[in-house]
Structure formats: structure tokens, C-alpha cells
Amino acid sequence: MSTSKGTAVVTGAANGIGQAYAQRLATDGFDIAVADVVEAAATRALVEAAGRKFFSAIVDVTSPDSTKQFAADVDANMPPIVALVNNAGIYPWKSFEETDYATWRKVIGVNLDGAFLMCKAFVPGMVARKSGRIVNVASTTFWLNAPQMTAYIASKGGVIGFTRALASEIGTSGVTANVVAPGLTNTKTMRGVNEEIYDYLPKQQAIPRLIEPKDLVGVVAFFCSADSAFVTGQTIAVDGGQVRL
Ligand SMILES: NC(=O)c1ccc[n+]([C@@H]2O[C@H](COP(=O)([O-])OP(=O)(O)OC[C@H]3O[C@@H](n4cnc5c(N)ncnc54)[C@H](O)[C@@H]3O)[C@@H](O)[C@H]2O)c1
């Protein structure tokens, strides 16, 4: 086994795009820790096949206690923690009229509070070590005419604002915070939400094909790398050139 680059934490990596981030970061030499509300056995197999160490726990990112405990457990098992990718997210497909306050709170809770709480748990250690990479996950829906997603788009706009503000506070400590904003991507969960958009949305991209999770991993790998040390507070859309920031 080659020398580890340290541990990268990826939330929501039991499935979908997060699993692809974990696999790529393992290939790049990071050990991987996963926080998810479901078991991450398939992700463990991918990370171990890449020759890296793996740790996971059942963690709800909306829980202040669980996120704090998870940070302590990862620190005890696989120090040092060098990167945090806040990928866990939910996207219920509901009109504004159908969105009750409980749904609104749930979406903001997982997508925005989750990123905040994970940063509260992990950033102090990175600041103390004067090194770290935060990658938060937004969505290109923030720049698009995308109905039925009021809570979701509000949460992802919040993620961008939070990341910019956090970057301003941690820059002097050598810790960066950036955002990756995927376009419509081929994951099992997304395909269950609204199959129709897969017919027309990819055609609006400069590169007019379906986005796969593997299309997103390069930007996250860059944000977690030494090469991005002077890049912070930024958002990169990975969507085949549909939106222009
Ligand atoms: N798929 C897309 O088209 C698309 C587009 C833009 C942005 N995104 C974003 O990318 C991320 C991943 O999307 P995906 O399509 O891979 O979704 P997914 O459903 O395949 O994976 C999300 C993971 O998050 C986990 N999760 C959900 N709630 C959690 C919680 N409270 N605590 C911890 N883990 C939790 C789930 O168990 C799951 O493993 C999300 O933030 C999503 O908003 C996805």
C-alpha cells in the first residue's frame, strides 16, 4: 500500500455521486471515511479495492451530536483528516404549494444544516493543523428555471453562500472551502424522481449527453488536492456547459 495522503471524509457516499467521489479520492491516495444514514458496504469494497483504508458510521448529518461523535471517531481511527466533502443531500420533487413547512425544514436540514454541522465538527481540527479542504455540493438548478424545487434550490443557494463566507474566515489557516455544482446526473435516486427531464435537459448542454457520476469526480479531486491550495470560495459547475457562472 502506498503512503496515505490522509483521510478524506465524504458524506452520503453509500450511493450515487458520493460513492464515485469516495472511489476517486481513494484512487488518488486518500483513506476514506463515510457518514451516511445507510450502510456503505459497496463503497467499502471500492475503496479497499483501490488499496486504501475505509471507515464508516451511520450518521445523520442533521444531528449535532452524531456529527461531532463521528469527527472524534474518524480522528481516533484514521488521522489526519485532510478533506471533507459534504455531498449528502435530498431532493423531493414538490411544487411550492405542496411544500409544507416540515418538508422545507427537512430539505434545508439535510442539505444546508448538514454541511454546517459537518464543518463545525471537522473544521476546527483542520484549522489547528493549518491544512484542509472543504468541498460542498450545490446544484446547477440554482441558476436554472427549475420548478418544483423551492426548498432544494434555496438550500443549495445557502450552501454557496455558506461556503463563500466560511472561506473568508479560514483562509489564513491554510484551509480552503469550495463548491461543486453538478448538473442533472444519472443516479438511481434522481431517476426515481422525474424521468422526463432526462429527455430534454441533456440536449441543452454544450456537451449534449447524460452526465454520469464519473464526470464529476475530477473537480472534487482537484479541490481536495495540493494543486488547489490558492483556490477558495469558488463554485465550479460540472454540467457539460449548460450554465455559465
Ligand atoms: N443526481 C443529480 O442529478 C444531482 C444534481 C445536482 C446535485 N446533486 C447533489 O449531489 C448529491 C448526491 O446526489 P445523488 O443523486 O448521488 O443522491 P443519492 O440519493 O444517490 O445519494 C445521497 C446519499 O445521501 C445519503 N443521505 C441522505 N440523507 C442523509 C442524512 N440526513 N445524513 C447522512 N446521509 C444522508 C443517502 O443515504 C444517500 O446515500 C446531493 O447533494 C444532490 O443534491 C445531485
Side-chain angles (χ1 to χ4, degrees):
M1 192 186 280
S2 59
T3 312
S4 172
K5 286 183 177 166
T7 294
V9 174
V10 188
T11 68
N15 294 290
I17 304 170
Q19 185 177 75
Y21 295 149
Q23 184 180 22
R24 169 57 189 266
L25 291 171
T27 305
D28 283 2
F30 294 90
D31 295 322
I32 302 295
V34 169
D36 202 305
V37 286
V38 297
E39 289 291 344
T43 310
R44 172 187 288 277
L46 292 168
V47 168
E48 291 181 349
R52 303 277 28 131
K53 283 198 263 178
F54 182 85
F55 176 85
S56 71
I58 300 294
V59 176
D60 182 337
V61 296
T62 67
S63 162
D65 290 343
S66 302
T67 47
K68 208 170 160 192
Q69 184 60 52
F70 180 66
D73 292 345
V74 179
D75 201 35
N77 280 281
M78 294 202 312
I81 300 152
V82 296
L84 167 63
V85 182
N86 284 311
N87 162 81
I90 55 171
Y91 35 83
W93 199 260
K94 281 181 195 281
S95 68
F96 172 66
E97 199 182 349
E98 291 164 339
T99 302
D100 57 17
Y101 185 57
T103 304
W104 172 271
R105 284 284 354 133
K106 173 87 182 155
V107 174
I108 301 286
V110 177
N111 297 358
L112 181 56
D113 297 2
F116 169 78
L117 290 170
M118 288 295 288
C119 286
K120 286 297 280 184
F122 284 93
V123 166
M126 292 179 176
V127 167
R129 290 187 298 277
K130 297 207 167 301
S131 157
R133 299 278 184 270
I134 309 294
V135 184
N136 291 329
V137 175
S139 159
T140 54
T141 52
F142 184 65
W143 298 277
L144 289 171
N145 172 22
Q148 314 232 59
M149 302 197 102
T150 49
Y152 180 74
I153 294 175
S155 74
K156 295 301 190 179
V159 165
I160 294 168
F162 167 56
T163 309
R164 290 181 182 189
L166 180 65
S168 303
E169 293 196 24
I170 58 181
T172 53
S173 306
V175 185
T176 64
N178 291 291
V179 175
V180 61
L184 176 69
T185 304
N186 188 20
T187 64
K188 206 169 147 196
T189 305
M190 188 64 215
R191 293 219 77 120
V193 172
N194 181 353
E195 190 59 28
E196 283 166 30
I197 50 176
Y198 283 94
D199 291 334
Y200 66 86
L201 215 61
K203 292 182 190 137
Q204 295 170 14
Q205 298 163 194
I207 305 166
R209 68 158 173 80
L210 189 53
I211 303 166
E212 298 291 343
K214 66 177 163 35
D215 293 313
L216 300 160
V217 301
V219 165
V220 170
F222 168 68
F223 279 149
C224 291
S225 74
D227 282 346
S228 66
F230 215 59
V231 179
T232 195
Q234 304 302 315
T235 298
I236 295 185
V238 186
D239 68 343
Q242 184 179 20
V243 303
R244 313 293 160 97
L245 311 188

